[in-house]
């Protein structure tokens, strides 16, 4: 199967010693993932384009490629690989086809993330096009596969950054100035890969799509069938707490004289858990940056990030408000300053009901379920009809090396996605 072959060639890229993945935006692993996608797309005769925001697109155009077969479109493998590694996608960097059907996902990962989160949707999309061709289907409207940049926000802190830029959901100036842990800005990282950071911003052609369909591994244990549909994405966001105290010697400074920012930070972590339980939400403080980060030094500052999600916006906001109050109270007791800033927030996403019902009919009424995980489909849904397909995750683990989907379920996902694309683009 084309799916299995592609999966095996993608699997080694960016894999860390933990068994998880470190495919961060604008790094060597990201470059290799992009080259992989360009090669796989062009081997299928798809027209590959990149937009000014770092997103990639591969198009099966009605006139150029409707009669193409996979075998008849294979070019020299060496030539394809060389062009792909050089980032050569030919032509002007234009995005979108009016009234087109777009599918796909992302290839970047969280630190030590699983193999399926993102890549499953990209590999399945290409395999679904192969399957449509095997069936003899021909698109009546353009059909594309997307790879969106910085979906996880692992390097620059804002999730779904590529789709946010394309839809105008984030100010380009703010995006350019986002910094990674080493102080490198998004603009600088883009420029090093041959992009013009001054050109980033909304993409009007992308917003003229007929619809966007994203296949994704389910990231919990709610789905018991091989394939399901998404009903909604919970509201969710990221907040940064900055605790500022006074650095000092760990062995000579009396406890009474200390202004240690680790103390209110620790109390805030516990408060986040308690607030989430009160408001039927989930809250996580999974990233922290300590300065100067020495064993024998009292920290001078601590930066920590809160991720909060819930079925309702009221529950999310109430959770964050409680955590903030706890942080301010703890900081006051320890003579530490604290500030809070909202780095990103996504309101509840109710996926396009008519589109979802149409897909449910085409797939024989699979299970429909909400999710607490954010996706590019959620960002695009504010502008174009969008829907999501989920593939079963038997472990329920995600954002970790143990993330898994059975091969049979992955192939069922390819079949389902092909059925959906046939319904939307070929009939």
């Amino acid at each position: 199967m084309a799916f299995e072959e592609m999966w095996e060639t993608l699997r080694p890229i960016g894999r860390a010693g933990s068994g998880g993945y470190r495919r961060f935006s604008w790094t060597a692993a990201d470059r290799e993932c992009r080259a992989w996608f360009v090669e796989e797309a062009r081997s299928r005769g798809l027209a590959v384009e990149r937009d000014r925001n770092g997103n990639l697109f591969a198009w099966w155009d009605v006139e150029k490629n409707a009669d193409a077969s996979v075998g008849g479109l294979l070019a020299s493998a060496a030539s394809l690989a060389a062009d792909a590694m050089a980032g050569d996608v030919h032509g002007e960097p234009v995005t979108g086809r009016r009234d087109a059907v777009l599918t796909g996902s992302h290839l970047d990962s969280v630190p030590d993330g699983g193999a399926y989160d993102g890549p499953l949707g990209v590999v399945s999309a290409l395999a679904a096009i192969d399957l449509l061709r095997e069936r003899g289907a021909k698109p009546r409207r353009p059909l594309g596969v997307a790879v969106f940049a910085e979906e996880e926000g692992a390097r620059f802190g804002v999730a779904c950054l590529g789709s946010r830029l394309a839809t105008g959901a984030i100010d380009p100036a703010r995006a350019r100035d986002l910094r990674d842990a080493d102080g490198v800005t998004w603009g600088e990282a883009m420029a090093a890969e041959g992009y013009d950071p001054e050109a980033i911003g909304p993409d009007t052609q992308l917003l003229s799509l007929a619809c966007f369909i994203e296949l994704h591994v389910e990231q919990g244990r709610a789905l018991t069938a091989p394939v399901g549909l998404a009903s909604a994405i919970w509201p969710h966001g990221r907040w940064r707490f900055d605790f500022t105290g006074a650095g000092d010697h760990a062995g000579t400074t009396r406890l009474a004289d200390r202004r240690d920012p680790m103390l209110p930070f620790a109390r805030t972590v516990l408060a986040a858990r308690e607030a989430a339980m009160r408001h039927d939400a989930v809250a996580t403080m999974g990233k922290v940056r300590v300065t100067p980060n020495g064993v024998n030094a009292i920290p001078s500052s601590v930066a920590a990030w809160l991720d909060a999600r819930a079925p309702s916006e009221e529950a999310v906001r109430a959770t964050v408000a409680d955590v903030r109050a706890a942080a301010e109270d703890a900081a006051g007791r320890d003579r530490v300053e604290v500030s809070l800033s909202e780095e990103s927030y996504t309101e509840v996403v109710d996926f396009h009901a008519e589109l979802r019902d149409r897909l449910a009919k085409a797939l024989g009424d699979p299970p429909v379920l909400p999710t607490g995980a954010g996706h590019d489909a959620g960002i695009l849904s504010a502008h174009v009809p969008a829907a999501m397909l989920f593939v079963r995750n038997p472990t329920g683990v995600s954002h970790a090396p143990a993330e898994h989907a059975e091969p049979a379920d992955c192939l069922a996902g390819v079949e389902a996605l092909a059925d959906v694309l046939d319904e939307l683009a070929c009939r």
Side-chain angles (χ1 to χ4, degrees), residues 154-245:
R155 182 175 178 188
F156 292 95
V158 176
C160 300
L161 187 56
S163 56
R164 287 182 193 273
L165 280 166
T167 58
I170 187 172
D171 180 69
R174 182 193 169 204
R176 274 191 295 272
D177 291 339
L178 292 171
R179 294 180 182 273
D180 68 7
D182 296 320
V184 178
T185 68
W186 172 261
E188 291 167 344
M190 287 190 78
E193 296 296 322
Y195 286 80
D196 178 7
E198 295 302 318
I200 62 175
D203 184 338
T204 56
Q205 289 198 71
L206 184 65
L207 302 184
S208 68
L209 294 170
C211 60
F212 176 67
I213 311 296
E214 182 171 5
L215 180 144
H216 205 281
V217 67
E218 205 261 317
Q219 294 175 276
R221 291 178 176 166
L223 180 62
T224 56
V227 178
L229 286 171
S231 58
I233 297 175
W234 286 3
H236 57 279
R238 298 179 181 185
W239 291 262
R240 172 173 171 161
F241 287 81
D242 283 286
F243 299 91
T244 304

Side-chain angles (χ1 to χ4, degrees), residues 110-125:
V110 299
D112 292 322
Y116 295 83
D117 180 358
L120 181 62
V122 176
V123 176
S124 297

Side-chain angles (χ1 to χ4, degrees), residues 75-369:
S76 163
S79 174
L80 285 168
D83 285 349
M85 289 304 292
D88 181 7
V89 294
H90 299 295
E92 294 298 318
V94 180
T95 316
R97 298 290 193 276
R98 293 194 179 280
D99 200 34
V101 174
L102 186 66
T103 185
S105 192
H106 63 96
L107 293 174
D108 65 310
S109 76
V110 299
D112 292 322
Y116 295 83
D117 180 358
L120 181 62
V122 176
V123 176
S124 297
L126 293 170
I129 287 179
D130 291 347
L131 185 54
L132 288 173
R133 283 173 167 162
E134 289 176 13
R135 294 175 179 177
K138 297 181 180 180
R140 300 171 62 90
R141 59 178 62 181
L143 174 58
V145 179
V147 175
F148 286 103
E150 186 73 355
E151 193 273 351
E152 296 291 4
R155 182 175 178 188
F156 292 95
V158 176
C160 300
L161 187 56
S163 56
R164 287 182 193 273
L165 280 166
T167 58
I170 187 172
D171 180 69
R174 182 193 169 204
R176 274 191 295 272
D177 291 339
L178 292 171
R179 294 180 182 273
D180 68 7
D182 296 320
V184 178
T185 68
W186 172 261
E188 291 167 344
M190 287 190 78
E193 296 296 322
Y195 286 80
D196 178 7
E198 295 302 318
I200 62 175
D203 184 338
T204 56
Q205 289 198 71
L206 184 65
L207 302 184
S208 68
L209 294 170
C211 60
F212 176 67
I213 311 296
E214 182 171 5
L215 180 144
H216 205 281
V217 67
E218 205 261 317
Q219 294 175 276
R221 291 178 176 166
L223 180 62
T224 56
V227 178
L229 286 171
S231 58
I233 297 175
W234 286 3
H236 57 279
R238 298 179 181 185
W239 291 262
R240 172 173 171 161
F241 287 81
D242 283 286
F243 299 91
T244 304
D248 216 327
H249 197 291
T252 61
T253 308
R254 297 188 312 162
L255 294 181
D257 294 337
R258 299 186 181 203
R259 296 176 53 219
D260 185 350
M262 286 295 284
L263 298 179
F265 160 67
R267 295 187 180 101
T268 302
V269 174
L270 298 176
R273 176 61 177 264
E274 294 165 356
M277 293 176 66
R278 280 195 300 275
H279 298 291
D280 195 24
V282 291
T284 306
M285 298 193 80
K287 178 180 178 181
V288 58
R289 190 178 300 156
V290 181
T291 303
N293 204 28
V295 175
N296 58 349
I298 298 169
S300 58
S301 65
V302 175
W305 283 261
L306 169 70
D307 181 302
R309 310 170 190 231
S312 70
E313 179 172 0
E314 292 77 14
V316 175
R317 295 296 185 186
T319 299
V320 175
D322 284 3
V323 178
R324 178 174 190 165
E328 291 174 345
D329 177 69
R333 282 187 282 155
D334 293 306
R335 297 180 296 125
V336 169
E337 297 177 359
V338 62
S339 63
L340 174 64
S341 58
E342 181 177 290
E343 292 201 336
S344 66
Y345 184 76
T346 302
E347 296 179 348
V348 63
V349 173
D350 290 311
F351 284 111
H352 195 277
E354 183 178 345
L355 177 61
R356 184 180 66 242
D357 291 347
R358 185 177 176 183
L359 301 193
K361 183 176 180 181
L363 298 177
D365 293 320
V368 179
L369 62 154

